[in-house]
Amino acid sequence: MRTETPETLVRDHTIYSCVMGSRAFGLATEDSDTDRRGVFLAPTALYWRFEKPPTHVEGPGEEQFSWELERFCELALRANPNILECLHSPLVESVDDTGRELLALREAFLSRRTYETFTRYAHGQRRKLDADVRTHGTPRWKHAMHLLRLLTSARDLLRTGILTIDVGDERESLLAVKRGEVPWPEVEARMNLLAREGEEATRHSPLPEEPDRRRVEDFLIRTRRASALQPDPYDEVVQGVVPDRGVGKR
């Protein structure tokens, strides 16, 4: 098999790519970056080597990051907020048949676990904001805005069973926070309210207790098997010069 570099894995084997960050959240301004995220499917034959394919690749473009399919599914089953949001981006740049199957599994990844993972992430961000306020008198307002967005998204997901990442009508109120136009005590109060509402929502959430791991694993196995059956140019060369005596025969 030919050598695959991290760059060629992303270039030649991406099954799904999208734009994330402020542009996907509906919070982009003139100076916003374009964050690209993707999922690539490493050819199955690469796993037959001692050196395995990477689980993720940074680049090759600026602000670009991709995960290998298996790693992506693992993180999604753990309800990683960044991964789940990636599956629900409204800005899809490319998707093939395998990618469409992945997107069709979006609901299989969702469960009440999202309360724990989103809350854990939110607590970590809140501690950083509180430290900024103690040290500098104000938080990093952009981070405060995104924490409000995340808390709102988590609460609504637990209430409805649907993950929506575009902030919609909340855009202007959130950008006001980013500009530092909302007093910190008011921002704190909004965060505390959203946290309480999220906790209440999890008690009556339509989401299942656990994600549908078997359904996701079936998809991964089928995909790996289909990849293994794909011919490789190097295999044809070997077959042309090495007699086929069967495995273990001399």
Side-chain angles (χ1 to χ4, degrees):
M1 171 172 281
R2 68 183 184 276
T3 300
E4 294 278 10
T5 66
E7 291 76 16
T8 59
L9 283 171
V10 172
R11 185 192 68 200
D12 298 338
H13 302 288
T14 290
I15 63 171
Y16 170 68
S17 64
C18 65
V19 172
M20 286 301 300
S22 294
R23 297 192 183 281
F25 302 144
L27 291 169
T29 56
E30 291 182 359
D31 59 347
S32 294
D33 293 328
T34 300
D35 300 322
R36 289 184 165 85
R37 299 293 179 263
V39 182
F40 63 91
L41 174 63
T44 301
L46 292 181
Y47 290 93
W48 301 337
R49 298 173 169 180
F50 288 120
E51 185 177 352
K52 308 304 181 189
T55 59
H56 59 269
V57 174
E58 187 169 355
E62 293 185 10
E63 307 296 336
Q64 183 179 9
F65 192 95
S66 301
W67 296 267
E68 205 284 324
L69 177 62
E70 183 173 340
R71 178 59 173 166
F72 186 87
C73 289
E74 287 177 349
L75 293 173
L77 286 168
R78 296 178 195 171
N80 179 293
N82 291 326
I83 299 294
L84 292 181
E85 289 184 335
C86 184
L87 279 172
H88 291 78
S89 173
L91 303 177
V92 175
E93 290 197 314
S94 69
V95 61
D96 66 7
D97 289 342
T98 305
R100 277 185 278 274
E101 280 197 71
L102 175 64
L103 292 180
L105 286 171
R106 282 184 290 202
E107 292 182 359
F109 293 108
L110 297 178
S111 71
R112 296 191 186 190
R113 283 189 182 186
T114 55
Y115 173 73
E116 178 184 348
T117 55
F118 277 61
T119 299
R120 187 188 310 129
Y121 181 83
H123 284 169
Q125 294 302 305
R126 179 65 183 272
R127 285 194 295 270
K128 293 177 182 178
L129 291 171
D130 289 339
D132 286 339
V133 173
R134 288 193 301 270
T135 304
H136 306 292
T138 59
R140 284 172 288 183
W141 292 110
K142 180 179 178 179
H143 292 188
M145 174 193 72
H146 280 297
L147 181 50
L148 284 171
R149 181 203 63 78
L150 181 74
L151 288 167
T152 302
S153 179
R155 179 202 63 188
D156 293 347
L157 168 60
L158 290 162
R159 282 178 173 177
T160 67
I162 300 171
L163 180 56
T164 302
I165 67 172
D166 191 303
V167 300
D169 294 340
E170 298 292 322
R171 171 182 165 84
E172 292 307 320
S173 64
L174 287 170
L175 288 178
V177 171
K178 180 183 179 181
R179 293 190 295 265
E181 297 171 357
V182 183
W184 173 240
E186 182 178 335
V187 174
E188 268 191 311
R190 286 167 62 179
M191 290 178 178
N192 293 336
L193 175 60
L194 286 167
R196 290 195 300 270
E197 291 176 342
E199 183 177 7
E200 175 64 23
T202 196
R203 299 191 185 102
H204 311 287
S205 178
L207 292 174
E209 290 291 339
E210 299 290 333
D212 194 341
R213 185 180 182 88
R214 177 175 293 181
R215 186 179 165 198
V216 174
E217 190 170 53
D218 286 347
F219 160 70
L220 181 62
I221 291 171
R222 283 190 294 102
T223 301
R224 287 272 191 252
R225 183 178 292 118
S227 172
L229 295 174
Q230 291 294 315
D232 185 85
Y234 183 72
D235 295 336
E236 296 176 6
V237 173
V238 172
Q239 291 167 7
V241 298
V242 180
D244 182 11
R245 299 190 179 94
V247 177
K249 295 181 180 180
R250 299 188 180 188

